[in-house]
Amino acid sequence: DVGFDGRRQRLAAYRGYLARRLHELADLVHRETGKPHADAILEITLTVDHLAWAATHARRVLGARRVRPGLLAANHAAWLEYQPLGVVGVIGPWNYPVFTPMGSIAYALAAGNAVVFKPSELTPGVGAALSDTLAEIVDGRPVLQVVTGFGETGAALCRAPGIGKIAFTGSTATGKRVMAACAETLTPVIVECGGKDPMIVDVDADLDAAADAAVWGGMSNAGQTCAGVERVYVLDAVAEEFTAKVVAKARGVRAGSGGAYGPMTMPAQTEVVRRHVEDALARGGHAVVGGAESVHPPFVEPIVIVDVPEDSSAVTEETFGPLLVVNRVPDIDEAVRRANATAYGLGASVFSRARGEEIAGRLRCGMVAVNGVISFAGIPGLPFGGVGDSGFGRIHGEDGLREFARPQAVASQRFPLPVPVTSFSRGAHTMKALLGLVRVRHAR
Ligand code: NDP
């Protein structure tokens, strides 16, 4: 074990390598996912920042710390430390093949674990590059190994003996399969299963900023973002003006090679988008940008549909494509009610000048951006994860470091008590003294 300092040094070197080879890695991400080079650069830049945070803060968060023993155990010294789990299995997705798995890998390594990483079958080269780069720094020691393959490889990783925890990112359906496999060996899991993230636009919102955020949050990376904007609830009073701004901006966005975003990385996803669009329109939704004809595999042009019934699949299911549903609501209570009404609960965003933070506190989800979009993901100190069908457990931040460690509590007796209570030698007078103490302390 190289300890916190040794890990910090090595992870700093890893970060330096990734930063120096940023263009090379971005090119690989571009070739495997189809996303624009600039988006790949943004993804890797954020990753490097997380790597720095995890390495820098691991000792403070996980290092041994004293705990007050309390009156009843005043003869003890007490402390807590976080031990590594051993080997952590990371099962990654293809949409952000560097940023998302590294949210687990960086924090698991900083906490002292070794990692076995199973990248998506669509992005194995990126997975191998991440592992090969670290291998150069740690003289080939197997601290980050990659296993490539299909779903069965992920399932085998869940069942592998000696795995201390599985960190999974992907769909809710596969997340449940991962949990079932891990249940066989009582292996703990973190599951991040995407979402149906809402945006709320209040009457006093900066409508230009809100429209820009809705279009970027909904369309960037072809909408293949777990915490991307999928539904917008805009208050009646500003709905017309806001929607006009969204339409103008979305019409200026083009998919394609050389476009604002690339193809659907997973071919089958285009059919999900098509189904959601057709369902929304069949149920009375009104397309204000694009429509079913915007789906021409492998690309999907921006689609904005207004007045979509809340029980449409475009509102209840994760679309994971460049489709934005914009629905009007009479007031904030209704916006919050609808925002909280899906089974998912990953992230959300709120645009409001006066009460953004107050509205944020009423949302049932793991993260909220106020007057911004997905901004929480770029702040390493903030935990990332969801509730409900979006999964549980956290990556990033202090919680993310603790996810990859086991708390070990130690109570060390410094001197024996004159009247022992945890011994068969205790007498009635001992218990009487204890009762007196409890009465003085708690029964007043
Ligand atoms: P999956 O959930 O099927 O795959 C995610 C990862 O899990 C991949 O590495 C996959 O391997 C692996 N995997 C698949 N089956 C198993 C299994 N039984 N046990 C263990 N690991 C397994 O997602 P898809 O890539 O098929 O995408 C489907 C949908 O999931 C998308 O449409 C989107 O809605 C959602 N999604 C959400 C993401 C998020 O960020 N939360 C990211 C990606 C997708 P392999 O690639 O080889 O199948």
Side-chain angles (χ1 to χ4, degrees), residues 14 27 51 86 93 99 156 191 197 217 249 308 320 365 373 381 403:
Y14 188 30
D27 187 53
L51 200 43
F99 180 72
V191 285
D197 289 8
K249 282 182 189 295
V308 181
F320 229 58
C365 59
V373 68
E403 281 283 2

Side-chain angles (χ1 to χ4, degrees), residues 90-96 100 117-123 148-159 166 168-175 177-179 181 192-195 224-227 230 266 268-269 272 317-320 344 346 384 390:
V90 175
I91 300 175
W94 40 265
N95 53 338
Y96 291 91
T100 301
F117 172 33
K118 155 43 186 122
S120 161
E121 71 196 55
L122 299 171
T123 54
T148 56
F150 297 98
E152 310 84 74
T153 307
L157 182 57
C158 296
R159 294 194 170 92
I166 289 285
F168 165 82
T169 309
S171 62
T172 305
T174 304
R177 283 196 281 277
V178 164
M179 277 187 78
E192 200 273 82
C193 301
Q224 303 166 118
T225 302
C226 53
E230 300 223 350
M266 191 172 72
Q269 198 66 29
V272 175
E317 295 175 19
E318 184 173 44
T319 304
F320 229 58
Y344 287 108
L346 187 60
F384 186 101
S390 293

Side-chain angles (χ1 to χ4, degrees), residues 97-407:
V98 177
F99 180 72
T100 301
M102 285 295 282
S104 297
I105 294 168
Y107 289 77
L109 291 174
N113 302 281
V115 173
V116 177
F117 172 33
K118 155 43 186 122
S120 161
E121 71 196 55
L122 299 171
T123 54
V126 175
L130 291 173
S131 164
D132 292 348
T133 308
L134 184 58
E136 286 182 40
I137 287 148
V138 295
D139 301 325
R141 285 192 195 87
V143 290
L144 171 57
Q145 296 192 72
V146 165
V147 287
T148 56
F150 297 98
E152 310 84 74
T153 307
L157 182 57
C158 296
R159 294 194 170 92
I163 292 286
K165 191 164 200 166
I166 289 285
F168 165 82
T169 309
S171 62
T172 305
T174 304
K176 289 177 183 173
R177 283 196 281 277
V178 164
M179 277 187 78
C182 287
E184 292 170 19
T185 48
L186 223 58
T187 300
V189 287
I190 306 172
V191 285
E192 200 273 82
C193 301
K196 190 74 198 172
D197 289 8
M199 172 183 282
I200 293 176
V201 182
D202 201 358
V203 283
D204 65 345
D206 176 338
L207 296 184
D208 285 309
D212 194 66
V215 173
W216 190 83
M219 315 292 176
S220 61
N221 204 34
Q224 303 166 118
T225 302
C226 53
V229 179
E230 300 223 350
R231 309 174 278 155
V232 181
Y233 296 112
V234 55
L235 268 71
D236 271 331
V238 292
E240 210 165 304
E241 193 183 346
F242 170 76
T243 307
K245 289 178 188 293
V246 167
V247 169
K249 282 182 189 295
R251 285 204 176 128
V253 175
R254 279 274 155 276
S257 48
Y261 60 80
M264 303 303 289
T265 303
M266 191 172 72
Q269 198 66 29
T270 41
E271 287 316 307
V272 175
V273 182
R274 193 196 302 276
R275 179 167 62 77
H276 288 185
V277 171
E278 286 174 352
D279 187 58
L281 297 178
R283 287 160 173 266
H286 177 55
V288 290
V289 177
E293 71 283 2
S294 307
V295 181
H296 48 85
F299 298 102
V300 180
E301 297 294 344
I303 306 166
V304 182
I305 308 182
V306 299
D307 303 331
V308 181
E310 292 289 316
D311 61 353
S312 157
S313 54
V315 175
T316 59
E317 295 175 19
E318 184 173 44
T319 304
F320 229 58
L323 163 64
L324 207 52
V325 166
V326 179
N327 282 348
R328 310 161 70 113
V329 285
D331 52 37
I332 285 294
D333 286 348
E334 181 61 7
V336 169
R337 192 189 67 73
R338 292 197 198 184
N340 288 343
T342 69
Y344 287 108
L346 187 60
S349 50
V350 178
F351 275 81
S352 172
R353 284 195 171 92
R355 50 181 174 172
E357 287 162 25
E358 179 204 320
I359 297 166
R362 297 173 62 190
L363 296 173
R364 174 190 161 274
C365 59
M367 301 137 324
V368 188
V370 177
N371 296 323
V373 68
I374 327 178
S375 38
F376 40 76
I379 300 175
L382 283 178
F384 186 101
V387 299
D389 277 6
S390 293
F392 55 83
R394 293 294 180 267
I395 56 172
H396 301 175
E398 296 186 5
D399 298 86
L401 282 168
R402 288 193 199 103
E403 281 283 2
F404 298 107
R406 83 185 144 78

